[in-house]
Amino acid sequence: MRTMLVERPGMFSTLQDTGRLGHQQYGVSVNGPMDEWSHRAANALVGNPEDAAVLECTLNGPRLSFSEHTLIALCGAPMNVTADGQPVPYGQAVLLRRGVVLDIGARTAGARLYLAVRGGLAPEPVLGSRSTNVRAGFGGFHGRPLRKGDHVPLSAQRRTAPALPIERRMVQSGLPMLSALPVDVSPPARPAGLLRVIPGPHWQAFTAAARADFESRQYQVTPQSDRMGIRLQGPALMLEQSMELVSEATVFGTVQVPPDGQPIVLMADRQSAGGYPKIGYVASADLPLLAQAMPGDGLRFETVTQADAENAWRDFEERLQHLRHAAARALES
């Protein structure tokens, strides 16, 4: 069995695929990657299907080695990454020789790095997903972040599949790693810290001053933020009058406002239902930008129409499609 050995776990390293869909009615969180762009881009670079499980590393990463030659890719937050002491490039597939130590150090920007392995990380799925639900203690690798000494199973190599050019070069080389051609993995350009938001069902229930503040004032990410929600601090968003709401299903990017008026953007590990007023929804195309925000970072909101948000998502998908084609060409070169 191909395995990944964890020699140092990093601060918070969990397995995530595209999420545990279809179970929210039972109170089961979706989970999945915080930064969908980086998750999907990393999988594309190594030729994986989009739903393959990758490793999400928060703030700093683990020290790892592999039982066989292994093709990897890194996307997301830049961190100091080396293989046997040599810098490992981002935005391209990298073949590591068996036993070479991959050391993912501290972040230099952003919050989360994604490590994809060709074939995917492959513990047994739970409820159809390999994403880690830390609060419930299931999925991923034993339902928890990685620990020192873990042997994480990888998908078995297809013995009948022809070797990639980079794999053939590794056989002839004594180097600890080889890199494929680089690919542009940058997401569609956006102004730093500016998030597009669709007004929510309770938009008109907030005061005119609250709506104006939400559209024009800056909010800061607080240290209480996590995979469940990004908690913000700024001008309080007050209702015209108190409301009693029936809890309903939550979605990634919902901007809820609790009684203190400080907004919370629900993220990958959000609860399955919530009853706070919803002032808006962050456009799906901008959620990766939010996922990389650090405590103290300033954020602003720009209200857009549903059509604007859908067009932004179309651009997002088209750029990913170009990335997938470029990554496939790079692997065959």
Side-chain angles (χ1 to χ4, degrees):
M1 175 186 292
R2 300 171 64 222
T3 61
M4 179 180 74
L5 171 63
V6 180
E7 300 182 11
R8 185 194 67 229
M11 180 173 289
F12 191 79
S13 304
T14 63
L15 276 62
Q16 301 294 340
D17 59 15
T18 47
R20 190 165 284 107
L21 303 174
H23 302 284
Q24 279 191 279
Q25 67 266 38
Y26 307 116
V28 179
S29 297
V30 175
N31 309 123
M34 287 281 279
D35 178 348
E36 182 178 348
W37 173 272
S38 296
H39 175 273
R40 294 170 68 183
N43 270 326
L45 289 174
V46 295
N48 283 347
E50 290 197 334
D51 61 352
V54 308
L55 191 64
E56 180 183 273
C57 308
T58 303
L59 300 186
N60 63 41
R63 181 182 295 123
L64 309 165
S65 59
F66 299 89
S67 61
E68 297 183 14
H69 300 344
T70 301
L71 191 70
I72 69 161
L74 303 167
C75 286
M79 296 185 183
N80 295 311
V81 185
T82 60
D84 275 8
Q86 299 182 28
V88 178
Y90 274 56
Q92 58 198 100
V94 177
L95 185 62
L96 298 180
R97 187 173 291 279
R98 179 179 60 249
V100 164
V101 175
L102 181 72
D103 197 333
I104 303 175
R107 59 172 286 278
T108 57
R112 294 173 174 88
L113 170 145
Y114 293 80
L115 166 68
V117 174
R118 184 169 176 83
L121 305 170
E124 284 298 314
V126 176
L127 296 177
S129 171
R130 294 185 170 96
S131 285
T132 309
N133 188 322
V134 174
R135 283 180 170 81
F138 64 79
F141 192 74
H142 300 308
R144 57 169 172 75
L146 296 185
R147 296 176 185 167
K148 181 178 180 180
D150 286 343
H151 287 263
V152 180
L154 310 180
S155 176
Q157 294 275 32
R158 291 180 299 162
R159 299 300 179 186
T160 58
L164 295 170
I166 193 172
E167 293 172 323
R168 295 195 293 269
R169 292 198 299 272
M170 177 62 81
V171 173
Q172 304 163 357
S173 166
L175 297 173
M177 67 175 178
L178 292 173
S179 300
L181 294 174
V183 175
D184 181 6
V185 296
S186 57
R190 286 291 298 155
L194 183 61
L195 303 174
R196 288 168 287 196
V197 176
I198 306 159
H202 307 119
W203 174 262
Q204 293 295 337
F206 288 86
T207 66
R211 298 196 302 270
D213 284 341
F214 185 70
E215 292 184 282
S216 63
R217 302 285 293 276
Q218 181 171 273
Y219 288 80
Q220 282 194 325
V221 177
T222 73
Q224 289 71 41
S225 301
D226 57 17
R227 279 182 48 90
M228 189 171 183
I230 301 296
R231 293 177 176 269
L232 303 175
Q233 183 73 41
L237 303 175
M238 306 311 296
L239 295 165
E240 289 281 6
Q241 58 187 21
S242 61
M243 300 177 65
E244 292 290 335
L245 298 173
V246 175
S247 291
E248 60 185 17
T250 61
V251 298
F252 203 160
T254 300
V255 187
Q256 288 190 333
V257 183
D260 66 0
Q262 299 302 316
I264 303 169
V265 187
L266 301 184
M267 301 297 282
D269 284 356
R270 63 197 176 276
Q271 70 277 20
S272 59
Y276 290 137
K278 295 173 285 295
I279 195 170
Y281 301 96
V282 175
S284 296
D286 289 354
L287 288 171
L289 175 66
L290 181 58
Q292 295 294 349
M294 288 288 294
D297 285 355
L299 300 173
R300 293 181 60 196
F301 297 99
E302 173 191 17
T303 54
V304 297
T305 66
Q306 178 73 29
D308 291 333
E310 290 173 359
N311 287 333
W313 186 251
R314 187 175 297 113
D315 292 342
F316 184 100
E317 289 288 348
E318 288 177 356
R319 192 169 179 87
L320 266 173
Q321 184 70 13
H322 290 309
L323 190 159
R324 281 192 290 270
H325 291 322
R329 291 194 299 270
L331 285 178
E332 294 300 329
S333 300

